[in-house]
Amino acid sequence: MGAPVDELDARIVQLFAAEPRVGVLEASRRLGVARGTIQARLDRLARSGVIRGWGPQVDPTALGFGVTAFATLELRQGAGHAAVTHHLAGIPEVMEAHTISGSADMMTRLVARSNTDLQRVIDELLAYDGIVRTSTVIVLATRLHSRAVPLLVRTAEEDGHERS
């Protein structure tokens, strides 16, 4: 079971997700909760790993990387996921990498400046001997960006019902 969260935790995270620079004092004013309570809740959520970070989110598109793609990787037997992950971490255009089930071994999310540049990124993936084959699909439009706040809200609601 994950860290317990309640409706106040969800309201705090929703506010900071919508306005990351709001500040604890302003959050306490808006939510009608003591400043110390807000800070204690944020500290607990960060300590438990519910809140992963406070840094700015960078949009690759704004940097000129307008192409997004997903590539599955088939690894050479014995190559090891750790070594492949180390190779992938050295390629800035690799946004995410996941070990998966199914016919492939890993799934990556890639960005590139153009389709031609995507070929360069794929070639860079394949330059490592531990990667045997890739299969790539290009994203035509992103309909829903990565998000977790709705999941937190649902969890708080469910945890609240369990305590009732």
Side-chain angles (χ1 to χ4, degrees):
M1 176 102 184
V5 294
D6 63 16
E7 184 266 340
L8 179 57
D9 293 330
R11 288 176 44 219
I12 291 168
V13 173
Q14 282 179 303
L15 176 58
F16 277 91
E19 299 178 55
R21 296 167 50 155
V22 70
V24 174
L25 187 59
E26 179 63 15
S28 77
R29 187 187 68 72
R30 289 194 200 176
L31 297 175
V33 178
R35 181 192 173 286
T37 301
I38 299 285
Q39 189 62 62
R41 296 286 186 117
L42 290 171
D43 291 345
R44 179 180 52 79
L45 291 166
R47 220 178 17 260
S48 67
V50 172
I51 295 175
R52 259 195 322 217
W54 295 98
Q57 294 181 352
V58 177
D59 183 354
T61 303
L63 296 173
F65 292 84
V67 174
T68 299
F70 290 93
T72 56
L73 312 179
E74 185 180 318
L75 307 187
R76 182 174 311 289
Q77 292 297 313
H81 288 85
V84 172
T85 301
H86 180 74
H87 169 69
L88 296 174
I91 304 170
E93 294 86 355
V94 176
M95 301 284 96
E96 299 175 36
H98 307 273
T99 300
I100 60 171
S101 63
S103 60
D105 300 301
M106 293 184 88
M107 168 83 68
T108 61
R109 181 170 61 95
L110 312 171
V111 296
R113 293 186 184 278
S114 64
N115 288 349
T116 302
D117 189 45
L118 179 60
Q119 181 63 60
R120 176 196 57 80
V121 174
I122 294 167
D123 291 345
E124 202 169 335
L125 292 175
L126 289 168
Y128 183 69
D129 189 47
I131 300 173
V132 177
R133 181 176 298 109
T134 68
S135 177
T136 307
V137 294
I138 295 173
V139 173
L140 299 177
T142 300
R143 302 292 181 193
L144 193 60
H145 287 276
S146 178
R147 64 201 186 113
V149 172
L151 187 61
L152 174 72
V153 170
R154 166 151 311 150
T155 302
E157 289 169 354
E158 290 170 353
D159 286 354
H161 290 138
E162 288 174 8
R163 285 192 276 275
S164 299

